[in-house]
Amino acid sequence: LMLSLSFLVTFAACDAPPVPLDDLVIEKTFVPEKCVRAVKVGDFVRYHYIGMFPDGKKFDSSYDRGSTYNVFVGKKQLIEGMDRALVGMCINERRLIKIPPELAYGKQGYGEIIPPDSILHFDVLLLDVWNPEDGVQINTYYRPSVCSRKVEVSDFVRYHYNGTLLDGTLFDSSHTRMRTYDTYVGIGWLIAGMDQGLLGMCVGERRIITMPPSLGYGENGDGSDIPGQASLVFDVVLLDLHNPKDGITVTNQAIPEPCSRKTVAGDFVRYHYNGSLLDGTFFDSSYSRNRTYDTYVGRGYVIAGMDEALIGVCVGERRSITIPPPTWAMEKREQVGTKIPGSAVLVFDIHIIDFHNPSDKTKVNVTFKPQVCEKLTKKGDFVKYHYNASLMDGTSIDSTYNYGKTYNIVLGANQVVPGMEDGLLDMCVGEKRHIVIPPHLGYGERGVTGEVPGSAVLVFDIELIDMEEGLPEGYMFIWNDEVSPDLFREMDKNTDGQVEASEFTDYIMQQVNDGKGRLAPGFDPYRIIDNMFSNQDRNGDGKITEEEFKLKTDEAADHDEL
């Protein structure tokens, strides 16, 4: 039993520091996985501690005072044992430091708090370390593959950040406010370390910016969140940058060949777009609405930057437009809701679908004309033609070839849009034309539901297949021969002194069939005859008397019609 007890005492004594303590003892009670920085002689440190005697009785604590102990290491501002024990410590490392009297307060002690020849124990947690020679430290951990521009002095930037102390304590974050921090760089609007740390960043870049207190909030700190003499760490992602002197920039142009016409101020443009912020955040698209954005350009109907960028474009052209905030209408921000932050640079990828000017007329280009061209189309003629119809961007609308039959109309009878009327005049049979019709001579602002968008320019490739000469303007029937002097009696088949509708219709149709008269081509002949009868039937009783007929004849004495 005595032998076993002796062994246990010996074992315990080997594991404990010698008493009295004759040298510094350091026990590392917690070591972080990653040691970002270790204390060196000459560094300034901020740490918490609990001071105890070997029996565990506490004689002092920084926690009780609610503030760290801040001091230079190795400059005899501490007791020798602490000066030596802090060297090599990492941020967030915890040590139990046992200091013999000769490295502490020795035989004199310290007032009534620490008796002479006291061994002191300190439970120390290191929170911060920096050196007076430190500058801003930058660690870029993500950089986009394309970096067309970097932050320079006097640029305006928008960025998100998480701000922490060196031990990882969060003191601020723009993410929690769900709003970027927006500021000028290099003109003193930021703490010096951030002013330096943002320079050279690309949009989309992420970096960690570490700065000593001399480039942060210095000896006084900032309120209750940032202690005095604290190093600061900012995890930053840059979302946007521009300079007040910036204008719009146009990139990634794809210009079709040929480009016969470019937009000018006053033109009406239809275009598609995708709108995003400089970091790629999407905010709007005309494609999602399946409808172009239609507007006049150079007249202030769109934001200033877009107004400028839409001048000088071709139909079918694609381009990326970068618009800094000074050139998009600030007063219209409230109209775009929360999708577009204030002071944001806007990027539009646009595709020009078509454009026209309100002064435009139908444009006719003859692509083929037969050698023999004896008759030209005019108002009143009945024409038959084939067409392929499309929009300016080539989108097919319709084609008569799909139906295997011509489209037949009477020119001047408002049976087609005015632009097509213009395009079909003075045309030979067999002639082919390329016709461009502006919307005010086409289907206007409304278009045709499901077929022709509103305000669309129309393109027709037409071929005149056949034509039948019409009657003089204002006539629906004419005589080819001399008019019979007994016209009324010839119509009055039953000799009852009045002409009924059936008698009138039979007579006119007989004259047409015999080649003695002509009805206007392209119309329903019976509707024409009904109208003729109604004009003669002055009292509307459904019969024409000789008196009514004569009266109408007298009124029309200068004409070859009834």
Side-chain angles (χ1 to χ4, degrees):
L1 178 60
M2 289 299 292
L3 181 61
S4 299
L5 183 59
S6 176
F7 177 79
L8 289 173
V9 171
T10 302
F11 181 83
C14 290
D15 197 40
V19 180
L21 189 67
D22 57 3
D23 198 5
L24 184 68
V25 176
I26 298 173
E27 296 180 11
K28 297 182 179 181
T29 56
F30 176 77
V31 178
E33 291 184 5
K34 187 176 182 180
C35 184
V36 177
R37 181 170 181 172
V39 178
K40 298 178 181 179
V41 173
D43 283 347
F44 189 92
V45 296
R46 294 173 48 249
Y47 62 92
H48 269 304
Y49 71 88
I50 299 173
M52 302 168 290
F53 296 113
D55 62 358
K57 182 180 178 181
K58 182 172 71 173
F59 62 81
D60 192 16
S61 172
S62 63
Y63 295 101
D64 294 341
R65 292 189 295 274
S67 64
T68 56
Y69 194 78
N70 307 336
V71 68
F72 281 100
V73 176
K75 293 192 176 184
K76 298 185 178 180
Q77 296 179 1
L78 294 163
I79 58 176
E80 185 179 352
M82 186 63 79
D83 240 0
R84 289 165 53 185
L86 290 173
V87 174
M89 277 194 82
C90 301
I91 299 298
N92 288 324
E93 183 178 338
R94 192 166 185 172
R95 290 182 175 184
L96 179 60
I97 304 169
K98 300 177 181 179
I99 305 176
E102 60 270 23
L103 298 178
Y105 293 99
K107 295 184 179 299
Q108 290 78 26
Y110 186 78
E112 296 181 356
I113 299 175
I114 298 176
D117 294 320
S118 294
I119 297 173
L120 305 181
H121 291 187
F122 289 91
D123 186 354
V124 176
L125 175 62
L126 184 66
L127 300 181
D128 198 349
V129 57
W130 53 269
N131 192 281
E133 296 181 359
D134 285 349
V136 173
Q137 300 174 39
I138 297 173
N139 175 26
T140 298
Y141 62 93
Y142 174 76
R143 175 170 286 174
S145 57
V146 177
C147 179
S148 59
R149 181 173 180 176
K150 297 180 180 179
V151 177
E152 299 177 1
V153 172
S154 80
D155 281 347
F156 190 91
V157 297
R158 294 175 49 249
Y159 62 93
H160 270 305
Y161 70 89
N162 286 320
T164 63
L165 303 180
L166 206 57
D167 67 336
T169 301
L170 179 72
F171 63 79
D172 193 19
S173 174
S174 62
H175 296 281
T176 60
R177 294 188 294 274
M178 298 182 68
R179 182 177 180 180
T180 55
Y181 194 82
D182 308 340
T183 183
Y184 286 97
V185 177
I187 63 172
W189 283 26
L190 292 164
I191 55 176
M194 186 61 82
D195 248 355
Q196 296 177 31
L198 291 171
L199 292 175
M201 283 194 80
C202 306
V203 171
E205 183 176 336
R206 296 174 182 267
R207 59 170 57 172
I208 294 175
I209 303 170
T210 305
M211 63 193 71
S214 60
L215 298 176
Y217 291 100
E219 296 182 3
N220 298 323
D222 186 41
S224 60
D225 295 325
I226 301 177
Q229 301 288 24
S231 301
L232 305 179
V233 181
F234 291 91
D235 191 343
V236 176
V237 55
L238 184 65
L239 301 183
D240 199 343
L241 81 105
H242 74 275
N243 193 280
K245 297 179 181 180
D246 287 349
I248 67 164
T249 56
V250 176
T251 57
N252 302 324
Q253 281 183 279
I255 303 175
E257 292 292 344
C259 176
S260 59
R261 178 178 175 181
K262 295 184 178 182
T263 53
V264 297
D267 282 348
F268 191 88
V269 181
R270 294 175 55 247
Y271 64 97
H272 271 303
Y273 71 88
N274 286 318
S276 63
L277 304 181
L278 203 57
D279 67 338
T281 301
F282 169 86
F283 64 79
D284 192 21
S285 174
S286 62
Y287 295 100
S288 64
R289 295 187 291 275
N290 197 30
R291 181 178 179 181
T292 56
Y293 192 83
D294 308 339
T295 184
Y296 287 97
V297 295
R299 295 288 186 267
Y301 286 87
V302 289
I303 59 177
M306 184 63 80
D307 228 7
E308 180 182 346
L310 288 172
I311 299 295
V313 295
C314 307
V315 170
E317 182 173 339
R318 297 176 185 267
R319 54 169 56 178
S320 293
I321 305 166
T322 303
I323 305 177
T327 57
W328 62 272
M330 299 298 185
E331 68 276 5
K332 294 182 180 178
R333 281 186 192 167
E334 67 275 6
Q335 299 178 14
V336 295
T338 58
K339 291 185 177 181
I340 302 180
S343 300
V345 176
L346 308 182
V347 179
F348 291 92
D349 291 308
I350 67 170
H351 181 204
I352 305 299
I353 302 302
D354 76 22
F355 67 86
H356 72 278
N357 193 280
S359 64
D360 285 350
K361 297 180 179 179
T362 301
K363 183 178 178 181
V364 178
N365 179 32
V366 177
T367 58
F368 173 77
K369 196 160 191 172
Q371 293 182 350
V372 178
C373 181
E374 297 178 350
K375 290 185 179 181
L376 299 178
T377 55
K378 64 183 185 304
K379 286 186 178 181
D381 287 351
F382 181 60
V383 297
K384 300 178 180 181
Y385 63 97
H386 273 302
Y387 69 81
N388 287 316
S390 64
L391 302 179
M392 283 287 280
D393 66 344
T395 301
S396 178
I397 299 174
D398 194 16
S399 175
T400 55
Y401 296 101
N402 295 336
Y403 311 118
K405 61 181 181 179
T406 57
Y407 196 76
N408 309 329
I409 66 161
V410 176
L411 290 175
N414 297 322
Q415 295 177 351
V416 289
V417 295
M420 182 60 81
E421 290 266 13
D422 297 339
L424 286 167
L425 289 174
D426 299 319
M427 198 173 181
C428 303
V429 171
E431 185 176 337
K432 297 180 181 181
R433 291 181 174 182
H434 181 78
I435 303 173
V436 180
I437 303 174
H440 49 274
L441 297 176
Y443 292 105
E445 295 181 2
R446 294 187 177 183
V448 179
T449 303
E451 296 182 35
V452 180
S455 300
V457 177
L458 305 177
V459 179
F460 286 89
D461 288 300
I462 64 173
E463 179 184 4
L464 186 62
I465 303 301
D466 195 8
M467 64 172 286
E468 182 179 345
E469 188 174 3
L471 303 186
E473 187 173 356
Y475 291 82
M476 298 301 288
F477 173 84
I478 61 172
W479 295 100
N480 293 329
D481 296 328
E482 292 293 326
V483 181
S484 170
D486 293 327
L487 192 58
F488 182 82
R489 290 183 178 81
E490 291 177 8
M491 290 184 183
D492 184 16
K493 294 293 185 180
N494 59 6
T495 65
D496 62 354
Q498 54 190 9
V499 176
E500 297 181 356
S502 59
E503 292 176 314
F504 187 87
T505 300
D506 291 344
Y507 182 83
I508 295 299
M509 289 300 296
Q510 184 65 48
Q511 305 309 304
V512 171
N513 293 335
D514 292 344
K516 297 178 180 180
R518 284 186 63 209
L519 290 168
F523 298 98
D524 182 350
Y526 292 101
R527 290 190 63 182
I528 295 177
I529 296 172
D530 284 345
N531 287 333
M532 293 169 62
F533 181 84
S534 297
N535 289 336
Q536 296 290 333
D537 183 12
R538 300 297 292 269
N539 61 7
D541 63 352
K543 299 174 183 179
I544 301 173
T545 64
E546 189 170 3
E547 181 180 355
E548 287 176 313
F549 192 79
K550 284 181 178 179
L551 180 60
K552 194 67 175 177
T553 304
D554 292 340
E555 289 180 350
D558 295 334
H559 297 266
D560 291 332
E561 60 176 340
L562 290 177

